Amino acid sequence: MKKKILLVVASLSQGGTKKIVLDLFNYWKKKGHNIKIITFDNKTQSLNSESRKYIIRLGLIKHSKTIFHGIFNNLRRIYKLRVLLKENQQSEIFSFIYTTNIITIIANLGLTNHLIISERNDPEFQTISNIWSLLRNIFYRFADKVTANSQKACRTIRKYVPSKKVIFIPNHIFFKKKRLTSKKKKIILGVGRLHPQKGFDILIESFYLSKVYHKGWKLVILGEGLQEKFLKQKVKELKLHNNVLFKGFQNTLNWYKKSKIFVISSRFEGTPNVLLEAMAMGLPSIITSSCPGAMYYVKHRISGLIVPPENTLALAKSITMIVNNKNLQKKIIQGGFKSLTSLANHRNIFKRWNQCILN
């Protein structure tokens, strides 16, 4: 039976949520469902002309100078979104990220739509304001289903949402075992927003402590964000300006192909899509234990190395270990391939998403 599906997301900017939304859009579109994406942003430059026809842009992303501006802007989002949802009654609505989830729940109250919301981080570790945390605790129970991409996040959400509504749906990847090439360089790769959450300050300091740059290794960071100036200053202070390179937003695939090691140094995280992509491209990975969703795929010294969060010395030791141990690299690469094949295959994961609209 063909369904009317609306995917609601604040923005289709770079990031893992964009990938999830667009992959689901393409999957359900091929299934013949009537599908649209609603975004509060008005930017779709990164989408092709065919995809843009299916985007409803509300143009409501605005900087709030005061708490009163914030309340007013969110009330506008709720009103405009409710008008759209009311015009599309009996739809399957999928909303992503906590602020958008709360706005969508309120906008949908009293309507006949089936609402599924998605958390992309573990709420226990996520730093948000008290008011948004309170609103999440109050309103999440009014969604028909709540998905999360880690089992730990599901346990947290079950504290304020009935257990029967909470569904674990891990991240997916279009997985093909890639042959390793001889073109790889001595590059340690980090990918993500230049934001305190991502812990790039920790990664830079750990890279310095590892001293692997004396052997010709470089640290490449892909991403942009509010910490760019701070991080570049840190690199300057450590005299690593020739060894740590900031490349902004670039095609990650090209960097996966040429890098040898991948690191996630986040202070907290859900299930990073970039981790699955790196593993699929044959990069042995180091991650922090504050990425509970990643623990589903990574076992220490089998499919990756796991270090405590915010521990520069432990991360430095792991970097040194994996740089100097080619046998360990090969073991982790093969373990990563095996893990992805069984746990992250897109066909199996899309079936779980499909169940949300069939039940």
Side-chain angles (χ1 to χ4, degrees):
M1 180 179 175
K2 304 306 178 186
K3 299 277 190 177
K4 185 187 290 185
I5 301 174
L6 300 174
L7 306 177
V8 185
V9 62
S11 174
L12 285 173
S13 59
Q14 300 290 334
T17 301
K18 173 188 173 182
K19 171 181 165 51
I20 293 289
V21 171
L22 293 182
D23 285 350
L24 286 173
F25 167 80
N26 290 325
Y27 170 70
W28 279 319
K29 186 170 175 287
K30 287 178 182 177
K31 292 282 185 183
H33 296 300
N34 179 2
I35 186 164
K36 297 278 187 182
I37 299 175
I38 300 173
T39 173
F40 296 149
D41 208 346
N42 58 5
K43 299 175 183 178
T44 55
Q45 293 93 329
S46 60
L47 305 178
N48 59 44
S49 56
E50 174 64 21
S51 298
R52 288 179 194 175
K53 296 189 301 185
Y54 298 91
I55 311 293
I56 301 173
R57 299 177 292 276
L58 298 182
L60 295 172
I61 296 289
K62 292 185 177 180
H63 176 66
S64 300
K65 296 180 181 179
T66 68
I67 189 171
F68 301 105
H69 282 110
I71 292 170
F72 175 74
N73 288 335
N74 282 313
L75 287 174
R76 283 188 68 210
R77 292 176 189 127
I78 291 168
Y79 172 75
K80 288 206 170 186
L81 183 57
R82 184 172 179 83
V83 170
L84 270 176
L85 300 186
K86 202 169 183 179
E87 291 172 355
N88 291 273
Q89 297 262 33
Q90 298 185 331
S91 292
E92 301 289 330
I93 302 172
F94 288 79
S95 173
F96 300 83
I97 306 296
Y98 72 95
T99 50
T100 304
N101 291 342
I102 293 165
I103 288 169
T104 306
I105 291 169
I106 296 172
N108 191 58
L109 289 174
L111 302 183
T112 60
N113 301 304
H114 186 233
L115 176 58
I116 302 99
I117 62 174
S118 180
E119 270 287 352
R120 311 311 300 169
N121 284 301
D122 185 346
E124 183 174 337
F125 298 104
Q126 198 170 21
T127 304
I128 65 175
S129 68
N130 290 335
I131 184 64
W132 281 112
S133 180
L134 176 63
L135 290 172
R136 179 163 56 188
N137 290 357
I138 293 171
F139 284 105
Y140 265 32
R141 70 190 70 226
F142 293 105
D144 293 289
K145 293 183 178 68
V146 182
T147 76
N149 58 1
S150 79
Q151 293 168 324
K152 172 68 173 59
C154 286
R155 290 194 292 271
T156 301
I157 293 167
R158 287 189 181 106
K159 294 176 182 178
Y160 46 88
V161 176
S163 293
K164 63 182 180 181
K165 289 188 175 185
V166 182
I167 304 170
F168 169 51
I169 304 183
N171 284 9
H172 69 276
I173 191 165
F174 297 97
F175 179 73
K176 278 187 178 180
K177 185 173 178 178
K178 307 290 191 305
R179 290 184 177 275
L180 303 182
T181 70
S182 58
K183 296 180 180 178
K184 287 184 175 291
K185 301 176 182 180
K186 290 183 175 181
I187 293 174
I188 297 169
L189 183 65
V191 179
R193 292 175 297 121
L194 305 186
H195 183 279
Q197 174 194 347
K198 302 298 181 180
F200 285 121
D201 55 324
I202 299 166
L203 177 55
I204 291 166
E205 189 170 343
S206 298
F207 178 72
Y208 171 75
L209 292 173
S210 75
K211 306 299 181 186
V212 297
Y213 51 90
H214 289 313
K215 298 180 179 180
W217 284 81
K218 294 187 183 298
L219 171 62
V220 173
I221 297 174
L222 305 184
E224 297 174 356
L226 57 88
Q227 275 203 316
E228 183 172 350
K229 185 176 179 181
F230 163 74
L231 294 172
K232 287 182 176 179
Q233 180 61 32
K234 189 174 188 68
V235 167
K236 184 178 180 181
E237 290 171 0
L238 295 173
K239 299 180 180 179
L240 290 173
H241 48 277
N242 291 325
N243 308 98
V244 179
L245 307 177
F246 294 88
K247 294 294 184 178
F249 281 125
Q250 290 198 15
N251 186 332
T252 52
L253 180 61
N254 293 334
W255 285 99
Y256 292 142
K257 288 179 178 177
K258 67 177 75 172
S259 302
K260 283 193 173 182
I261 295 168
F262 184 74
V263 179
I264 290 179
S265 52
S266 297
R267 291 178 164 88
F268 68 90
E269 196 72 68
T271 305
N273 281 302
V274 290
L275 170 66
L276 306 188
E277 293 167 357
M279 290 168 66
M281 291 298 295
L283 274 74
S285 299
I286 305 172
I287 65 171
T288 62
S289 57
S290 57
C291 303
M295 302 299 110
Y296 185 63
Y297 310 94
V298 178
K299 305 302 177 189
H300 188 54
R301 296 183 69 94
I302 296 174
S303 50
L305 295 181
I306 302 171
V307 299
E310 301 194 62
N311 190 323
T312 54
L313 184 58
L315 181 52
K317 287 181 178 178
S318 290
I319 290 172
T320 305
M321 180 196 306
I322 204 163
V323 161
N324 294 327
N325 192 331
K326 290 188 176 180
N327 288 331
L328 179 61
Q329 289 178 29
K330 291 178 182 177
K331 178 184 176 183
I332 288 175
I333 289 167
Q334 295 305 317
F337 285 144
K338 185 176 179 180
S339 175
L340 292 182
T341 303
S342 61
L343 300 176
N345 186 290
H346 70 278
R347 292 184 181 86
N348 298 331
I349 305 305
F350 284 162
K351 286 179 182 176
R352 297 197 190 194
W353 283 106
N354 220 33
Q355 284 299 114
C356 290
I357 65 176
L358 294 178
N359 292 337

